[in-house]
Amino acid sequence: MNIASNTPILVGVAQQTYRDQDNLERTPVSMLTEISELALTDSGRAEALRGALDAVVTEPSLLEVSPELGAMLPEFPGPELAARLGLSDAACYKAPDGGNGPQMLINHFADALHRGEHRAVLITGGELTASFRTLLGGGQNIAHWAAARDGETRQPWTNREGASEAECAHNLWLPVNMYPLFENALRHHHRRGVDEHQQRLGRLMQRLSDVAAANPHAWSYQRPRGAEQIASAATLAFPYSKYMCAQMNVDMGAAVILTTVGQAIALGIDRERWVFLNGCADVNDIWHVSERPDFHSARAVAVAGQAALQRAGRHIHDIELLDIYSCFPCAVDLACEALDIDPFGARELTVTGGLPYFGGPGHSYSLHAVASMVERLRDQPGSHGLVSANGWYMTKQSIGVYSTEATAAEWQRGDDSVLQAQIDSAQHPQLDTAPEGGATVETYTVICGQNGPEQGVVIGRLDSGRRFIAHTADDAATLKDMMREDVIGRRGRVSAGEPVNRFEFS
């Protein structure tokens, strides 16, 4: 096949997991430097590729969400990283928040490379959350972590908060509190009993844990968790146990390097190192969860997945390797339903082991997924892989289809604005921020603390059809009932409050 010289390809990947959390010498920038050097080496032509790199892109750290913690980190590490790599003339970018970021960046810069805007692009990110906690807990001074070189950093992407003011007021801004709303709606939609569904979640997540236990890069390497252990561990927010949630307390970093076929040939990068992004798409769902048409489907995943596969000239059943974003069980199930994947089929759902077991290094997890995918595809030439990446609360969806073989057609990014219009034009309910009157529960969760259930949260419909969010009574009997029986479809009355609305079951 005659491949166009401006076809984008991945030529270098690397990932590292650090288990020495008392290492005072390692800093966020030194970690990114090490990972980036390893990605250069992975290309087989490190120095030649270094000379072509003209863009350095960094993912934001999760620790930056707190102003106090963020002050201990370099806000814009790109210029310092570029200098350490000997790339003083490279343009520096910082990605927006969101777990979709790595795949979105690959999609974006693949197109930029195709248009001739760059010669080679480095994308890197990671977390030292475990070290952060260990060092601060031991009284160590980590002021040197924040040291960074001044320089221009471009942020061309809009950074929008994921939760609305009303959602935040009702304690739904934490992902561990928001995602159970999808999970309980899924259970109800499929008419499963509470206990039946809990055991199913254990079996589903054990599949991921088994992959992580065999992956030396995984935070839970050689520590498999069985279905019963996963299902019965302490509840964080009903129905999620602590072993079903992304493990954020990790020290991990990853990097990928993209260039074009023409540049790779000119640089002497061996054809065996090339991996093609054959198709991709980025689509956002209705932005605020409380305004989604329903809570048991993921339309943005379906739209993005169908487009990415079509652009790659593939069907989902052609894909041998998968990495489905897995911050919580419902993210896996929703994506599998949207993409027509059997979650208990022969194909593994992850090449890493998933965020609860491989590790969830903040916005950078899917960099590890892509790095692992590239390694697996190189080992299985001619096979195909799909990576799905998810930002906020099943909100931002980015999908990539990869192979060691190019598509038959010339590479095209595709117009995602057409896809986005399909989502934006759909009818969806509006949120009533001061609800009053009779109402029905659409979905719910119970947030738990160290001493058990603490707070019930429901989303439902007023008799007028408008949506509402409210807290329930917090007495033990009400909360235990909500965790024992399916309360979706139950009637009650909601009353407006400031800032929290109240719902009482009939």
Side-chain angles (χ1 to χ4, degrees), residues 8-10 12-13 57 59 95 100-114 121-124 157 255-259 275-282 366-371 374 387 389 398-402 411 413:
I9 52 175
L10 284 71
V13 299
V57 192
E59 283 283 348
N100 67 307
Q103 186 61 57
M104 180 277 290
L105 293 169
I106 290 170
N107 298 349
H108 173 87
F109 282 101
D111 194 35
L113 286 160
H114 182 254
V121 178
L122 165 70
I123 303 171
T124 185
W157 304 280
V256 303
I257 300 175
L258 294 87
T259 189
V275 170
F276 294 83
L277 175 68
N278 284 340
C280 60
D282 301 289
S366 288
L367 273 179
H368 293 266
V370 172
V374 166
V387 173
S398 297
I399 293 180
V401 179
Y402 296 88
W411 191 86
R413 171 67 176 86

Side-chain angles (χ1 to χ4, degrees), residues 463-503:
D463 292 344
S464 67
R466 290 174 68 83
R467 273 266 173 73
F468 72 89
I469 313 173
H471 285 177
T472 68
D474 59 6
D475 61 280
T478 297
L479 299 181
K480 287 182 179 178
D481 182 56
M482 293 173 69
M483 296 175 69
R484 185 172 55 244
E485 302 291 339
D486 184 3
V487 302
I488 293 176
R490 281 200 195 176
R491 293 281 297 167
R493 293 193 65 83
V494 64
S495 56
E498 183 57 47
V500 176
N501 305 318
R502 295 291 176 182
F503 179 83

Side-chain angles (χ1 to χ4, degrees), residues 265-288:
I265 293 173
L267 297 171
I269 298 175
D270 195 300
R271 176 66 176 79
E272 293 182 355
R273 311 311 291 167
W274 303 3
V275 170
F276 294 83
L277 175 68
N278 284 340
C280 60
D282 301 289
V283 180
N284 297 336
D285 211 322
I286 299 299
W287 194 264
H288 292 134

Side-chain angles (χ1 to χ4, degrees), residues 57-72:
V57 192
T58 55
E59 283 283 348
S61 168
L62 264 187
L63 295 173
E64 295 177 33
V65 298
S66 163
E68 294 80 10
L69 301 183
M72 302 181 187

Side-chain angles (χ1 to χ4, degrees), residues 33 49 57 80 130 143 163 236 252-253 264 267 281 286 305 308 359 363 374 376 412 417 459 467 481 489:
T33 303
L49 183 55
V57 192
E80 176 65 21
L236 299 184
M252 310 176 84
L267 297 171
I286 299 299
H363 307 303
V374 166
R376 292 285 297 276
Q412 295 291 331
S417 67
I459 292 184
R467 273 266 173 73
D481 182 56

Side-chain angles (χ1 to χ4, degrees), residues 225-366:
R225 300 197 186 281
E228 182 59 31
Q229 181 187 21
I230 292 169
S232 61
T235 303
L236 299 184
F238 177 75
Y240 287 156
S241 79
K242 66 178 182 179
Y243 293 142
M244 297 177 185
C245 305
Q247 168 58 270
M248 316 302 275
N249 187 38
V250 298
D251 287 356
M252 310 176 84
V256 303
I257 300 175
L258 294 87
T259 189
T260 61
V261 165
Q263 283 288 335
I265 293 173
L267 297 171
I269 298 175
D270 195 300
R271 176 66 176 79
E272 293 182 355
R273 311 311 291 167
W274 303 3
V275 170
F276 294 83
L277 175 68
N278 284 340
C280 60
D282 301 289
V283 180
N284 297 336
D285 211 322
I286 299 299
W287 194 264
H288 292 134
V289 170
S290 57
E291 297 180 356
R292 304 268 170 90
D294 62 64
F295 304 107
H296 60 261
S297 63
R299 191 162 180 235
V301 179
V303 171
Q306 181 181 21
L309 287 163
Q310 185 178 42
R311 291 165 183 174
R314 294 292 164 185
H315 187 276
I316 189 62
H317 301 304
D318 300 328
I319 306 298
E320 296 92 344
L321 299 168
L322 300 166
D323 198 87
I324 304 301
Y325 200 87
S326 52
C327 48
F328 300 95
C330 70
V332 179
D333 258 334
L334 287 166
C336 284
E337 288 193 15
L339 297 169
D340 192 24
I341 296 167
D342 179 358
F344 293 98
R347 287 178 295 187
E348 297 289 359
L349 301 175
T350 175
V351 291
T352 66
L355 284 85
Y357 317 110
F358 172 81
H363 307 303
S364 299
Y365 163 76
S366 288

Side-chain angles (χ1 to χ4, degrees), residues 103-150:
Q103 186 61 57
M104 180 277 290
L105 293 169
I106 290 170
N107 298 349
H108 173 87
F109 282 101
D111 194 35
L113 286 160
H114 182 254
R115 295 194 306 267
E117 296 175 7
H118 292 288
R119 291 184 297 157
V121 178
L122 165 70
I123 303 171
T124 185
E127 296 286 344
L128 292 178
T129 314
S131 286
F132 187 89
R133 295 180 63 176
T134 297
L135 295 172
L136 285 188
Q140 299 290 342
N141 186 339
I142 60 169
H144 61 297
W145 277 28
R149 188 181 305 258
D150 291 334

